[in-house]
Amino acid sequence: MTEAHVFQQHITRLRKTTAATLEAENYDALAIYAGTAQQYFADDRDIAFKPTPHFSHWCPLRTTGHTLLVRGDERPVLFLRDQPNYWIDDEVVLDPFWADNFTIASSDDLVATLRKSHTAWIGPEVEWLPQHIDRNPEPLRSRLDAVRSLKSEYEIACISAANRIARRGHACLHECFVAGESEFAMHLAYLQATRQTDDELPYPTIIALDDKAAVLHYQHKRRDLRNGKVLLADCGASVRGYAADVTRTWTSKAAPPLFVELLQAMERVQQELCAAARSDVPFYDLHYQAHEKIATLLIETQLLRDVSCDEAIAGGLSKIFFPHGLGHLLGLQTHDVGGERLPCPYAKPLLPVFANMRFKGKLAVDEVITIEPGIYFIPMLLDQQRDNPRLNHPLIDTLRPCGGIRIEDNLHIKEDTAVNLTRLD
Ligand SMILES: [Mn+2]
């Protein structure tokens, strides 16, 4: 199937679901504003622009000021921004593969059009918006979010393409790590290999050597430190606004054997968890399974002692080493919307230590999720446990300089399996 055909199918589905949403929420029309560039406080410098995700759901344009108007199941109208600006290049390129699905209009006519109907507005507020228009009504937004959580073939193709790009970048990072490069040099090499600028990335690269691998969202790029023992790289790519979110951990010959053993075990654990993902599985059950596997590993390696697996989980000991969720929905946002579904019955009790998990529902066909288990040696969390005899501190301390491990793939959920988009050939 051609790209144009797959995109057309995507829009046909959106038209249908949006018509139903508008009817259910009693609106005639939905106006989605791409947004305008924002500036830093007390500065005239623009922050890198990202269109309203609801806009990107319909239209791959990445420039500011456009508005999409959807009325029932009619052909949507794209009102292009047309205030010429000679400071930037805001030329709009209408690629027929997507533009053929819209009627193109001038923003001059937008306000008059908005006045004519009972319209819901999604996007940042603007001063010229007619008074009667409902701004970002919550019930409508959550219906739109629910649609966004289930990906069309077009969206899967975008996420899949983003994963291919990220994989190329990670292969390059591995080579740089083996060559002893710095975090800074690896960051530049990643941009080069993926042919992306920083602003095009779905999230800033996390390129952490050694102890900094314990910082979950490590943001620096050290220029001096070379020849690391461990590299944790969490770096993505984006295609038409859709994200890949991929993490790999590598060790060099200088890494302690116990850490290498943990990494090999975690590679296995991560693949087992990926193999267990499919529709109708409560995500909490996968999260719990991750803790069972990680607690077992911590006990086998004697990092934890005098404690059973269940006690280690319920007592929050495994959470010291794996303090984040197993994964999240992925799409136009790296932490995508639509996961706020009702909790469902679980195979294991919902423990108080996991009460802050965001995504508690069942997996559904055509969701894309990340599976990203980890083991970290986070000084702040370990120091709080100095007097806890169940933590083998002398052994743990030998691994603190290694930071941690995270392995993350992106999975397309199907009926009774999941397709690993990060490891597709
Ligand atoms: Mn992630």
Side-chain angles (χ1 to χ4, degrees):
M1 241 187 306
T2 64
E3 190 179 36
H5 190 78
V6 172
F7 189 81
Q8 189 190 28
Q9 278 187 341
H10 172 71
I11 294 296
T12 302
R13 169 185 176 243
L14 278 187
R15 283 171 59 166
K16 210 174 285 167
T17 56
T18 305
T21 297
L22 289 173
E23 199 181 324
E25 296 295 327
N26 284 310
Y27 290 104
D28 303 326
L30 169 69
I32 309 174
Y33 184 50
T36 50
Q38 303 296 303
Q39 294 177 340
Y40 291 103
F41 176 70
D43 198 339
D44 65 355
R45 205 204 115 179
D46 287 351
I47 299 168
F49 175 70
K50 253 192 139 181
T52 301
H54 308 80
F55 181 85
S56 299
H57 200 196
W58 288 84
C59 173
L61 277 183
R62 309 291 295 167
T63 42
T64 61
H66 315 302
T67 307
L68 187 80
L69 189 75
V70 190
R71 297 176 57 93
D73 189 24
E74 292 170 23
R75 185 179 162 89
V77 184
L78 179 59
F79 291 86
L80 294 178
R81 172 185 197 266
D82 50 9
Q83 292 157 307
N85 175 354
Y86 52 73
W87 290 96
I88 57 165
D89 178 6
D90 57 2
E91 186 193 352
V92 175
V93 180
L94 299 174
D95 191 327
F97 97 82
W98 64 264
D100 285 355
N101 293 275
F102 303 105
T103 300
I104 306 295
S106 156
S107 283
D108 286 348
D109 307 322
L110 178 61
V111 173
T113 310
L114 290 176
R115 282 189 203 288
K116 281 187 232 151
S117 46
H118 182 42
T119 305
W121 175 265
I122 296 286
E125 289 198 28
V126 284
E127 69 280 4
W128 45 261
L129 203 58
Q131 207 57 47
H132 76 281
I133 286 180
D134 276 355
R135 284 117 165 115
N136 298 308
E138 202 43 61
L140 179 111
R141 265 184 74 166
S142 66
R143 282 180 194 266
L144 297 177
D145 288 354
V147 175
R148 274 176 57 198
S149 71
L150 306 180
K151 271 64 181 179
S152 67
E153 194 178 333
Y154 161 74
E155 294 179 286
I156 298 289
C158 290
I159 299 172
S160 200
N163 266 276
R164 277 195 297 278
I165 296 171
R167 209 164 70 164
R168 199 165 71 220
H170 279 277
C172 168
L173 286 178
H174 184 213
E175 285 172 26
C176 293
F177 173 64
V178 171
E181 298 283 10
S182 67
E183 293 165 357
F184 180 74
M186 284 193 270
H187 171 72
L188 297 182
Y190 186 83
L191 296 181
Q192 174 82 27
T194 57
R195 307 196 68 72
Q196 300 175 110
T197 67
D198 278 291
D199 290 344
E200 287 164 342
L201 294 168
Y203 57 94
T205 62
I206 298 168
I207 298 178
L209 287 175
D210 300 348
D211 58 316
K212 297 300 184 189
V215 183
L216 299 180
H217 286 172
Y218 175 65
Q219 76 279 33
H220 299 303
K221 309 285 183 274
R222 287 177 291 183
R223 287 152 171 84
D224 46 352
L225 182 82
R226 292 173 53 89
N227 298 310
K229 291 185 285 293
V230 177
L231 168 67
L232 186 155
D234 184 343
C235 304
S238 117
V239 169
R240 303 210 172 105
Y242 288 87
D245 180 5
V246 178
T247 311
R248 291 290 180 263
T249 306
W250 305 103
T251 51
S252 77
K253 290 192 180 72
L258 176 56
F259 190 84
V260 176
E261 187 189 323
L262 282 177
L263 176 57
Q264 284 165 354
M266 286 300 285
E267 300 265 12
R268 204 172 54 240
V269 162
Q270 195 262 359
Q271 286 299 291
E272 287 167 4
L273 293 165
C274 288
R278 66 198 63 195
S279 76
D280 283 336
V281 172
F283 196 68
Y284 175 76
D285 286 350
L286 290 182
H287 181 75
Y288 198 98
Q289 281 175 37
H291 272 272
E292 285 179 320
K293 291 171 191 292
I294 288 167
T296 303
L297 186 57
L298 291 168
I299 292 165
E300 279 171 5
T301 51
Q302 295 177 12
L303 291 160
L304 289 178
R305 54 193 174 188
D306 303 326
V307 66
S308 72
C309 177
D310 286 344
E311 286 167 350
I313 297 169
L317 297 182
S318 55
K319 200 180 165 188
I320 294 166
F321 298 88
F322 176 39
H324 60 72
L326 176 64
H328 49 84
L329 292 171
L330 179 72
L332 287 164
Q333 288 161 247
T334 304
H335 295 164
D336 210 22
V337 291
E340 299 81 10
R341 252 161 291 137
L342 290 179
C344 48
Y346 305 122
K348 293 285 184 172
L350 182 59
L351 297 176
V353 285
F354 299 140
N356 60 354
M357 261 187 74
R358 270 177 299 185
F359 182 21
K360 294 202 182 85
K362 284 182 179 180
L363 294 174
V365 170
D366 287 335
E367 281 177 338
V368 176
I369 60 162
T370 67
I371 293 284
E372 47 181 311
I375 287 186
Y376 311 89
F377 301 94
I378 301 174
M380 187 183 104
L381 300 181
L382 294 173
D383 289 344
Q384 290 168 355
Q385 303 291 326
R386 263 296 165 207
D387 300 326
N388 187 339
R390 289 173 166 174
L391 274 74
N392 184 348
H393 282 289
L395 192 57
I396 289 169
D397 288 349
T398 66
L399 299 181
R400 283 193 189 212
C402 297
I405 296 164
R406 176 162 70 254
I407 299 149
E408 175 178 29
D409 289 340
N410 303 162
L411 270 62
H412 173 197
I413 302 298
K414 302 245 183 168
E415 194 85 50
D416 41 25
T417 183
V419 178
N420 190 326
L421 302 175
T422 313
R423 297 186 196 229
L424 277 180
D425 291 323

